[in-house]
Amino acid sequence: MKKINKIALALGLMALCSCNGLLDVKNPSGIYGSDYWANKDEVFSYLLGTYTVFRSTLNTMEYLEARGDEFEPGLEDAGTNMWAQNISSTTAFSWASYYTTIQHCNMIIKHIEDVKYSLASEKDQVLAEAYTMRAMMYFNIVRLWGKCPLELIPTEGSSKELSGRAPIADVMNQIFADLETAVSLFPSNDWPVGKSRASKRGAYALMADAYLWRAKALGGGDADLNNVVRYADLAAEGSSLEESFSSIYGTRNGKEVIWSIYYGYPETSGDSYTHFMTLRDVFVEKAVNKDEVPYAKSGARSRYTPSAAFRALVSKYQGDVREKGSFIDAVNDKGVVLGTSQVKMPGTKTSTNVIFDNDNVLYRHAEMILFKAEAYAALGQTDAAIEELNKVRRRAGIGNYAGAKDKTSVELEILDERGREFFLENKRWPDLLRFHYEGLIDVYQIIPKLKERKDAGTVVPLYLPIPITEIGLNHKLEQTEGYEEL
């Protein structure tokens, strides 16, 4: 990723193409016409620039974690609209950044054909990465908004027809098609330099995730569950569990990581999203454990603190290393909690401040194990599910599972285990939705603000609405069902 800083100009030009622009372009720039794609170096620069947009799009807890049950408002925030379930057609969250990334992937897929490569493997590698990134963007969109425009060619002129929302099944089929194409194109199973670019193993991990979503949230059935096991195994080749939970984020590109988003100083333009759970120095001045608490003079903002529900979950089993490995309370000499900082991704201390430079891990080995456990449990193969579950439990220091072995009990234990394992890793909201759609839990009873609003007579849909401004720009877009009165 060292070349990212060298293409600031290209990124500025890319912004011209991002628009509210992708689905409703009226006056597009022609800057990326045939003249731009002159050689493979320019294509590679464009690819690295696309990773910067990809990173920016995913650098938030709001879409995939804030709506869950892990957080309460911290010291410096009353709670975001997403956390408060204050979601309506007027407070809607935009998908524009996702489609900006898709636009750039589409540009690569189309225009790479204009460039001569002496080695086909170099071209195949770039294409494979673009297809994998595009699949990731659509996977997030379809989980968050449901039906969505399916854009497969770049917007390069005002003559391009506007797109309506495609059925969820069509979007899922495209995700699988993109990933199958990517897997066929990757020249080898090796990771690129580091693990912060898409790879064949990363594509396999995304396939396992997507098959699990389709199986449980969309009624995909046993064939999809068996594919989860297949692709989780393929993704896990070459990686393994770290012996220590704290080592996962303590070592960049460690042996557990399958796919991450690079976040090293000074190549990033801002902080990793985890600074929203870091205390500022003023809150820890009287803490007796100040030296143990991650805090910062600037950049930190205590937007969230761990919820009572998460604290209960991670402390359920005595000796679970993930409790101390996830967060720490700053306390004064009377034992009063002054605030809470995350421990999992604390950043790097300097002489004057903290740099929030931990890589954001998209997939790691432990998740492939728990993907398999969840698939086996859904298939009714509870002994196999428990065998996988125990691999992660033993690393956490809580020993083998000794609870009830009926299908429902094992499935719910796996959901809890994912909650303990992946705190702050943008997994919780999709996890809860999978088990909700499967009928094992009711998120309207589990998530406090959803329950509060439902008890008051308002059922907030689980898919997000589209901002009214975007519907105004594209007459083919229909609002997400359920927001007519919100």
Side-chain angles (χ1 to χ4, degrees):
M1 303 294 283
K2 295 294 182 184
K3 293 186 180 180
I4 288 180
N5 283 335
K6 298 180 181 179
I7 56 170
L9 176 59
L11 286 175
L13 298 177
M14 289 168 79
L16 296 176
C17 298
S18 66
C19 27
N20 271 347
L22 175 57
L23 301 180
D24 47 79
V25 168
K26 301 300 180 186
N27 297 296
S29 167
I31 201 159
Y32 286 112
S34 57
D35 291 342
Y36 175 81
W37 306 89
N39 57 63
K40 67 178 184 179
D41 290 336
E42 290 183 349
V43 175
F44 188 64
S45 290
Y46 196 99
L47 175 71
L48 294 184
T50 301
Y51 273 109
T52 299
V53 181
F54 180 78
R55 173 172 60 196
S56 176
T57 298
L58 298 180
N59 186 35
T60 175
M61 292 185 284
E62 291 305 292
Y63 289 98
L64 296 171
E65 200 152 20
R67 285 191 82 184
D69 60 349
E70 293 183 325
F71 301 133
E72 293 172 359
L75 297 176
E76 299 183 79
D77 207 311
T80 64
N81 282 332
M82 198 76 91
W83 172 84
Q85 309 294 334
N86 180 28
I87 301 169
S88 68
S89 57
T90 56
T91 63
F93 295 81
S94 176
W95 54 24
S97 61
Y98 286 99
Y99 277 105
T100 297
T101 310
I102 289 168
Q103 161 76 354
H104 297 316
C105 291
N106 288 342
M107 291 286 282
I108 293 170
I109 291 167
K110 176 181 177 181
H111 288 291
I112 199 170
E113 300 303 327
D114 301 331
V115 179
K116 292 182 179 180
Y117 280 81
S118 56
L119 294 176
S121 60
E122 292 183 351
K123 175 182 177 181
D124 290 346
Q125 178 71 33
V126 172
L127 270 173
E129 293 183 47
Y131 277 112
T132 306
M133 276 195 284
R134 188 171 77 174
M136 174 64 84
M137 292 294 95
Y138 273 122
F139 186 47
N140 280 353
I141 291 170
V142 80
R143 290 185 295 174
L144 293 168
W145 284 273
K147 294 185 292 184
C148 63
L150 196 53
E151 295 285 328
L152 303 178
I153 59 174
T155 299
E156 298 179 278
S158 58
S159 61
K160 183 180 176 184
E161 187 175 349
L162 297 175
S163 302
R165 299 177 78 169
I168 291 173
D170 291 355
V171 182
M172 290 300 300
N173 287 339
Q174 186 61 49
I175 291 167
F176 291 120
D178 279 359
L179 291 172
E180 292 286 359
T181 299
V183 165
S184 71
L185 287 169
F186 278 115
S188 74
N189 288 332
D190 296 336
W191 281 282
V193 177
K195 296 181 177 179
S196 297
R197 285 167 47 199
S199 65
K200 184 177 286 190
R201 292 186 179 101
Y204 283 142
L206 180 52
M207 290 177 84
D209 202 356
Y211 274 117
L212 189 58
W213 179 261
R214 191 168 74 174
K216 300 185 75 173
L218 304 173
D222 289 359
D224 282 351
L225 292 170
N226 284 314
N227 273 328
V228 174
V229 175
R230 174 190 175 195
Y231 288 112
D233 278 338
L234 289 169
E237 291 179 1
S239 61
S240 61
L241 291 177
E242 295 279 1
E243 287 77 13
S244 169
F245 182 75
S246 62
S247 297
I248 298 168
Y249 280 94
T251 305
R252 193 183 299 277
N253 295 323
K255 65 182 182 180
E256 185 157 337
V257 174
I258 295 173
W259 188 8
S260 64
I261 299 177
Y262 183 80
Y263 232 92
Y265 179 83
E267 291 189 15
T268 59
S269 58
D271 294 320
S272 167
Y273 67 79
T274 52
H275 75 283
F276 282 117
M277 233 191 84
T278 301
L279 295 170
R280 286 194 292 120
D281 57 344
V282 295
F283 296 115
V284 299
E285 288 302 327
K286 297 182 179 180
V288 295
N289 61 338
K290 179 179 177 180
D291 291 341
E292 302 171 31
V293 178
Y295 65 89
K297 294 180 182 295
S298 62
R301 182 173 177 83
S302 180
R303 169 177 288 178
Y304 294 118
T305 193
S307 67
F310 177 71
R311 288 174 182 267
L313 181 66
V314 79
S315 64
K316 179 178 179 179
Y317 297 103
Q318 186 175 2
D320 194 329
V321 301
R322 293 167 298 191
E323 183 174 12
K324 290 183 178 180
S326 294
F327 63 87
I328 185 171
D329 293 324
V331 296
N332 65 15
D333 56 3
K334 295 181 175 60
V336 175
V337 175
L338 304 174
T340 305
S341 277
Q342 87 289 353
V343 171
K344 180 179 274 188
M345 292 173 271
T348 299
K349 281 189 175 184
T350 69
S351 59
T352 58
N353 206 2
V354 170
I355 300 166
F356 297 97
D357 60 350
N358 295 104
D359 289 355
N360 298 342
V361 177
L362 297 176
Y363 292 109
R364 55 186 173 91
H365 191 88
E367 189 162 24
M368 300 307 106
I369 293 171
L370 291 178
F371 276 165
K372 290 176 63 178
E374 189 174 336
Y376 281 138
L379 287 164
Q381 301 174 30
T382 55
D383 287 343
I386 292 170
E387 182 179 348
E388 298 298 326
L389 174 64
N390 285 339
K391 295 175 184 177
V392 179
R393 287 176 59 94
R394 287 194 292 267
R395 196 261 299 274
I398 59 177
N400 291 340
Y401 174 68
K405 295 186 177 182
D406 61 282
K407 180 176 180 292
T408 297
S409 296
V410 173
E411 286 195 89
L412 292 176
E413 183 63 25
I414 291 167
L415 174 61
D416 284 351
E417 187 65 15
R418 286 186 60 87
R420 290 184 282 265
E421 182 72 20
F422 298 119
F423 178 67
L424 283 184
E425 295 187 43
N426 274 323
K427 306 291 181 180
R428 188 59 173 173
W429 176 244
D431 286 354
L432 292 172
L433 289 184
R434 283 200 311 276
F435 284 80
H436 172 82
Y437 291 132
E438 190 183 7
L440 290 173
I441 63 171
D442 181 357
V443 293
Y444 289 99
Q445 297 301 314
I446 289 176
I447 298 175
K449 287 297 180 179
L450 277 180
K451 184 179 188 302
E452 180 182 309
R453 296 206 67 188
K454 184 176 181 180
D455 290 347
T458 299
V459 178
V460 180
L462 301 180
Y463 286 126
L464 294 173
I466 306 171
I468 290 176
T469 52
E470 292 185 13
I471 293 177
L473 291 167
N474 183 351
H475 66 278
K476 290 190 175 182
L477 294 177
E478 296 180 355
Q479 187 56 274
T480 305
E481 184 179 354
Y483 287 96
E484 295 82 2
E485 304 299 325
L486 294 179

